[in-house]
Amino acid sequence: MKKKLLVTSKCAVILLFALILSLGKSNDAIAQTNAQISISGKVKDNKGNPIPGASISVKGTSQVVASDANGNFKVTAQNGESLVITFVGYVTQTFLINNQTQFNITLVEDTGKSLNDVVVIGYGTQKRSDVTGSIVSVPKARLSLLPVTNVLQSIEGAVAGVNVTTTSSVPGKEPSALIRGQNSITASAGPYVVVDGVPLSKTGGSLNDINPNDIASVEVLKDASATAIYGTNGSNGVILITTKRGTSGKPVIRYGGYYGVENLTNILEPRTGAEYVQKYADYMKQTGQTLTKPVPNNGELAAYNAGTTTDWVAEATQTGKIQDHNVSISGGSPDVKYFISGDYLDQKGVVKGYQFKRIGLRSNLDVDVTSFLTVGTSLFLSSNNYDGGRANLLLATAMSPYGKEYNANGTYNIYPMDPEQLYVNPLLGLTTTQISRTTNINGNGYAEIKFPGILTGLKYRLNAGYTYFPKREGSYTGRLANDMLGTARSFNASTNSYTLENILTYAKDIKKHHFDITALYSAQERKYNETTAGATGFINDELGLDNIGAGATQTSASYRDRYGLNSQMARVFYSYDSRYLLTLTARRDGSSVFGSSTTKYGVFPSAAIGWNIINENFMKNVRLFNNLKLRLSYGKTGNEAVTVYRTITTEGSSRSPFNGISTIGVIAANLGNTSLQWETTKTANIGLDFGILNNRISGSIEAYQNKTSGLLLNRSLPIITGYVNVLENIGKTSNKGLELTLNTQNFKGEGFRWETSVVFAANKNKIVDLYGDGKSDLGNRWFIGSPIGVVYDYQMTGVWQTGEDVSKQDPTAKPGSLKFADLNGDGKITADDRTILGQTAPKWTGGLTNTFHYKNFNLSVFVQTAQGMTKNNPDLTYGDETGRRNTPAEIGYWTPENQSQTRPALSYNNTLGYGYASDASYTRIKDVTLSYVFAQNLLDKLHLGGLTVYASGRNLHTFTNWVGWDPENNYSTRGSGDWTNNYPLTKTFVLGLNVSLR
């Protein structure tokens, strides 16, 4: 494999070198003899105001300049050539040079500008009016003036069909994204991410490594016509990110920065001292015990008698702080363009000990070596730091307000409610050493040849990308954190990956016919290795992590793997008279993860047609519409769905004593299946794009259906085989949905404008088949005909009250017990009475953005909603744990006096394991931003190119019936999950500015 790739790379380099030499000679032979003339001019709008930053290019050459602050420009050209003047939001104009040296140019606003926008479609770009697939561009306003650490936070709620979820607000934690529902049951459902044409996914890195300030555009590919070019990586949708690049002109220095504070959006306040004492008294009464002291533990008596309390949540939290500073320099000559940036982000969390720091550097370079050869690079380095011991918010809610926080010597008291040892001090984590750091070193380069003469329109591009991603983790827990032996752990891992792509494109116009052909051959490889070392039994805590060898008991482990992918792709786009559009795509992928008994290759084709109805003759006199286009597509994509080596039968090692000696033995680990193949998704999509009343109303409506087959699921095996299960291609799922995007210009006056953007998406997901026998899988909560994620539980109907007859429904119940529906009518509550109570994914999502412009002020208000999902509520399953812990005051409990119908008695034991299914729907004021753009005439006096100041708030208020920290948050109960992710939603207020120098 390596040898083939090496030969392919050498051949490509030799071919490229030969082409450069031959084309260079041909370029010399066709030397131009016309004399260059100097041309100057001015660009202004239809009101006579100068337009700074307009692009003036000489058609057919690499010469491009920008107009200055007064709209003036200078350029050199020859008679017979043409000037092309472009500016965002205005109609592009072309002027023939015929002995003219002075041009006064007036640009008019482009009311149909969205149709002429260039959209990144994967391995190329296309005019929006020519797009046949389902591709959505994230609004540019969402990519600036928002204090986010990850670009997915900008997308949340703003793109129809893209469900971004923030399950934890831990600093530096990446949100999860799902495009058009969940196709796979056990495999990764996240989208494939590509940055500047080179994959970020599967390289070890994440979107946390990309500085949002460096991003120029984000496109989301949703249907098979758009994603099939990524083959096995396209079944869950694709996110394409393009970073900023340089332009010709004087260097422009830009600074963007903000500083803000963060607080928890909602706090589940623990009970006060008096409430805690009353709860304990009620517990003792309900359990028939005699109350001998006012608090459960003797260690609490001193504080109780003194009347002093501790607010443990306040002790574990703080006002968070966040700041970001970004500096960039861009510019260049007509032949060399550059963009260089540096970024520093520092976030101190609202829970003590949590923090995130990121240092990022980027260098993008484009060089026109000759008129036919362009080379460039996209280099970045990102260093992420998540260090720090952390406070335990879960334990902070459990502590007695009379617990003792500190010892006499100022150290943390390990057992604040002594002799109670079930709950330790929630601040002990702050005494530990915790290291967690990653670095992403990413280098991408390209070379592009444009062929002249009869081969005009033919281009060859070589993309090469390399990523080195080292990761380091380490921890030491000592005596101050209740580890009397001392425990150290060190973990080091690295990922090395490369991507090599050969892309051939050809564009040709023949009268009203337009052809655009793309062909690709690519190879990817990723190598991963890790080593772990650990020890316990340190004589003191002085060295800790810095001398693991000092531990009495040593442990170590190591692992490595390799992944490879070879691909070929062809795409043909054809249009006739800009009315009838056709796109045909096919990709062939060969993946190393599949077994030896079947082909490792899969073919993923797609087809799409488009009809620009607006360009038909019968629409010329229809003034209502400015845009009307119908799109249809159908295709197939794949999902590898398994990690490396899952098709191979492997053994594990186990150490056990034998004849008094510790001996290594072999045990069964994974039973391979050499016949495993891709999960395959077939997608049908229909879309209608429209623009009405001079595009005062514009948008799109789409409907889709995904059918996924060959799901990779674990089939259970008899235990006598030595294996628990084996992976097989045996399941089917389906997704169908409706998406709407609507943009309106509500009011446009002399100094005031009001615009609205609405997105809506509804998705229905279900399991069609599991194991081929038509039966559901109760153990995994997978039910045929139901969504993949459901809540399956008892149906609570209230609380049993004193005097009610329980004999006919739940004979074991007592007053204060939860009341459940006897669905099978057998007179008792058993496992057979469980039913599907709801789905965990939202039935529909939406976003509403209102933007107001008044003179130089801009106000944007964005509201997000997610409706129709049900979740078990961990905030309601706080076990009172035999009266030993504090509980949130908001939760409440039943007494004979209050006769609650929603909460049980303190004496109730949840023996059925009821999860308190709750409606998790919410509507959130996601962000509000007020900005002021300083007038250009003032900036000219200050020699500034631009200045904007803004104030922004995120997660300002949530409307919901959920009882708890937040409906979006995944909160773990004690002993059931990773408590470090118990970090609820935060609200952020920032002040920032963007300034450019020139």
Side-chain angles (χ1 to χ4, degrees), residues 823-838:
L823 297 182
N824 64 359
D826 64 355
K828 54 186 177 180
I829 302 300
T830 65
D832 294 334
D833 292 308
R834 291 175 297 176
T835 187
I836 296 174
L837 301 177

Side-chain angles (χ1 to χ4, degrees), residues 599-664:
T599 176
K600 293 177 180 286
Y601 282 86
V603 178
F604 308 100
S606 74
I609 58 174
W611 180 20
N612 270 320
I613 306 172
I614 193 66
N615 292 337
E616 294 289 354
N617 290 330
F618 61 78
M619 293 295 293
K620 287 184 178 179
N621 296 322
V622 181
R623 301 188 176 228
L624 177 64
F625 289 96
N626 305 98
N627 177 34
L628 192 62
K629 183 172 72 173
L630 181 66
R631 294 179 282 108
L632 296 168
S633 70
Y634 183 80
K636 183 173 76 170
T637 57
N639 190 347
E640 287 171 322
V642 293
T643 55
V644 293
Y645 308 147
R646 286 301 304 274
T647 61
I648 303 172
T649 299
T650 59
E651 311 296 336
S653 61
S654 176
R655 185 179 292 274
S656 59
F658 184 75
N659 288 335
I661 300 174
S662 179
T663 306
I664 297 292

Side-chain angles (χ1 to χ4, degrees), residues 770-813:
L770 287 171
Y771 306 115
D773 55 6
K775 296 181 180 179
S776 299
D777 185 334
L778 181 62
N780 285 309
R781 303 296 194 264
W782 297 335
F783 301 95
I784 292 177
S786 298
I788 293 174
V790 296
V791 175
Y792 180 77
D793 211 337
Y794 300 92
Q795 184 176 314
M796 177 182 163
T797 59
V799 177
W800 288 106
Q801 304 298 326
T802 303
E804 288 189 293
D805 183 9
V806 302
S807 61
K808 296 180 180 180
Q809 186 169 341
D810 191 0
T812 63

Side-chain angles (χ1 to χ4, degrees), residues 411-466:
T411 59
Y412 291 121
N413 183 17
I414 292 175
Y415 300 112
M417 299 178 290
D418 186 66
E420 173 62 74
Q421 295 190 11
L422 188 62
Y423 312 106
V424 297
N425 195 313
L427 304 178
L428 294 184
L430 300 178
T431 69
T432 64
T433 299
Q434 302 289 337
I435 294 174
S436 179
R437 301 174 188 179
T438 64
T439 303
N440 193 336
I441 303 172
N442 193 294
N444 303 327
Y446 75 90
E448 184 175 273
I449 297 174
K450 300 175 184 177
F451 293 83
I454 61 172
L455 296 179
T456 298
L458 181 65
K459 291 191 295 186
Y460 167 75
R461 182 182 176 104
L462 175 66
N463 287 340
Y466 175 78

